[in-house]
Amino acid sequence: LTIDQVFAAITKHNKKLADEDRFSTKSLNLVYRANNVQNMRFVDTPGIISNKGQGKDNREDIQDILRDTLKKPNTKLCVLLEPKEFSTNPIVDFCDETFGGRDKWTNQAIFLMTKFDKQLGDSVAGSKANKFFEEFHNNGIVPHLVITPTLPKEDLPTEELFNQRKALLETASNEESKRFDAWLSGHENFLQSNPDDELLLEKTKQRIGFESAKKVMRQIMLEDTARRLPEVLSALRRDLASCQNEVKTLKEKRRFNDPKEVKLVVGQILELIQRRILNYLDGDLETAVKFPEKLQTLDDELDGEEESDWYSKELNHHSEKEE
């Protein structure tokens, strides 16, 4: 499938569910293969907060999806925060409720505050921006700041909607950089006219832009790959040994599918059996050489027979009856 075909299929599916006012816990699986990406799996859930007061409350279904997913090894949680005060950001409370406490999930999470352009105007000074993030930082949350491109309207035909979103994404990184550069320049200008103010905290500055989030995600995946490399190599060696044994077995089976090969092998076996029978009947020269003390003369054999329990017995116990 092409990307636009995938977009059309998913849009159609979601529209059908929306028209039926229905939520489905059945996942849509999209497999993307390429030789220039790391192996990963994204699990995207529906909007959480928007479901709270609109239509059927599906929060419990979404919580079940999150719990089941986070149980799997090497899983990280990507939390999208709204660009507003910590106390009015209900997604954090939702995750606390889902996982049973903040210490159960924050160390496995990466935070992105999307649509941050809505907050730029309220954080024109470094001190105001630092004050805005203070409660987030006090709760162990240092989000990456992302300016999300949006369309003037979304009610468009599927093909047109796809093309316009694609065009937005192509310019999103440059537009985001320009707006954040202007924001930081505003802090510097404000500080020049207000020396008692401050610049943006470095830990916040390091997380500006979607590229910063991508860099951290790649680092997490790289570290995970490095940790699992010995295990992966061991599994590959086991698989290789198994495949080599299977190839060896198949080659042997293929040999015996050839009538000429079977005839040759059977001939060799019959020759070996015949040789062993003759050795048994004539006496095995190899055995005689190895154990000379066991050799007997004819007289020794006759004397041994006279001392045998069978010496006085009839060779044919049916003799009397036959007479």
Side-chain angles (χ1 to χ4, degrees):
L1 293 175
T2 60
I3 297 177
D4 53 333
Q5 288 173 326
V6 172
F7 180 85
I10 294 175
T11 301
K12 181 180 178 182
H13 176 79
N14 288 340
K15 187 175 185 305
K16 182 175 182 295
L17 291 177
D19 291 342
E20 296 172 358
D21 193 22
R22 185 168 63 89
F23 175 84
S24 174
T25 56
K26 185 178 179 180
S27 62
L28 287 178
N29 297 318
L30 175 63
V31 179
Y32 176 79
R33 300 186 185 278
N35 60 5
N36 60 345
V37 297
Q38 292 174 280
N39 291 337
M40 68 186 82
R41 177 181 297 173
F42 287 103
V43 179
D44 184 27
T45 63
I48 295 171
I49 303 308
S50 60
N51 284 332
K52 186 173 183 180
Q54 299 177 8
K56 181 187 174 185
D57 185 1
N58 301 303
R59 294 161 64 83
E60 290 185 5
D61 291 330
I62 297 172
Q63 285 178 324
D64 289 339
I65 294 172
L66 290 173
R67 291 189 193 103
D68 290 342
T69 302
L70 209 62
K71 287 178 184 176
K72 297 174 183 176
N74 310 312
T75 299
K76 297 295 181 183
L77 189 66
C78 184
V79 181
L80 304 185
L81 300 166
E82 295 182 68
K84 55 186 182 181
E85 300 288 343
F86 177 84
S87 58
T88 57
N89 234 300
I91 186 63
V92 178
D93 292 333
F94 179 84
C95 290
D96 287 345
E97 178 187 338
T98 301
F99 300 112
R102 194 157 304 164
D103 58 333
K104 302 290 181 63
W105 63 277
T106 52
N107 61 331
Q108 291 178 266
I110 179 172
F111 298 89
L112 275 70
M113 183 171 286
T114 59
K115 302 178 182 177
F116 192 74
D117 45 304
K118 295 182 178 180
Q119 182 58 227
L120 295 179
D122 294 332
S123 304
V124 293
S127 58
K128 287 188 175 181
N130 293 335
K131 184 65 177 176
F132 173 78
F133 289 114
E134 183 177 5
E135 196 171 357
F136 286 97
H137 296 172
N138 291 341
N139 283 273
I141 297 173
V142 185
H144 294 266
L145 312 182
V146 180
I147 293 178
T148 312
T150 55
L151 292 173
K153 64 175 185 176
E154 298 275 341
D155 188 16
L156 299 170
T158 303
E159 185 175 354
E160 185 179 351
L161 180 62
F162 171 77
N163 290 331
Q164 289 202 23
R165 284 191 176 180
K166 185 179 178 182
L168 268 182
L169 290 174
E170 289 172 352
T171 60
S173 183
N174 287 336
E175 290 298 320
E176 182 184 56
S177 296
K178 289 178 183 178
R179 299 198 67 178
F180 275 127
D181 287 345
W183 185 55
L184 293 176
S185 295
H187 289 177
E188 293 175 358
N189 294 335
F190 189 86
L191 182 61
Q192 289 178 2
S193 56
N194 298 272
D196 293 335
D197 205 80
E198 56 194 40
L199 291 175
L200 190 67
L201 290 175
E202 190 62 28
K203 61 181 175 182
T204 302
K205 197 172 181 179
Q206 290 175 352
R207 289 169 174 79
I208 286 179
F210 185 59
E211 286 297 323
S212 69
K214 286 164 60 177
K215 183 178 179 181
V216 170
M217 291 178 186
R218 289 194 184 106
Q219 183 65 27
I220 290 171
M221 288 187 287
L222 183 61
E223 291 173 355
D224 174 66
T225 301
R227 282 194 301 270
R228 292 188 295 115
L229 192 57
E231 177 187 344
V232 172
L233 289 175
S234 178
L236 288 174
R237 291 191 185 101
R238 288 195 300 269
D239 292 344
L240 177 60
S242 176
C243 290
Q244 288 174 334
N245 290 334
E246 187 175 352
V247 168
K248 184 178 178 181
T249 302
L250 290 173
K251 285 183 177 179
E252 288 294 320
K253 289 181 178 179
R254 186 171 63 183
R255 278 184 60 204
F256 292 107
N257 282 336
D258 184 354
K260 292 181 180 179
E261 184 70 23
V262 173
K263 185 177 180 181
L264 177 62
V265 172
V266 171
Q268 292 172 345
I269 293 173
L270 289 175
E271 183 182 352
L272 179 61
I273 293 173
Q274 185 180 22
R275 190 184 308 122
R276 290 190 176 182
I277 292 173
L278 291 174
N279 285 339
Y280 175 76
L281 294 175
D282 295 341
D284 190 343
L285 178 60
E286 184 181 355
T287 302
V289 171
K290 286 184 177 179
F291 306 101
E293 72 277 2
K294 300 295 183 180
L295 296 178
Q296 290 181 315
T297 64
L298 181 58
D299 291 336
D300 291 336
E301 289 186 21
L302 291 173
D303 291 343
E305 288 179 4
E306 289 179 358
E307 297 173 358
S308 170
D309 293 339
W310 291 92
Y311 176 73
S312 59
K313 293 184 179 180
E314 296 287 344
L315 292 178
N316 186 352
H317 64 280
H318 295 293
S319 300
E320 295 178 0
K321 294 181 181 180
E322 291 173 356
E323 291 175 357

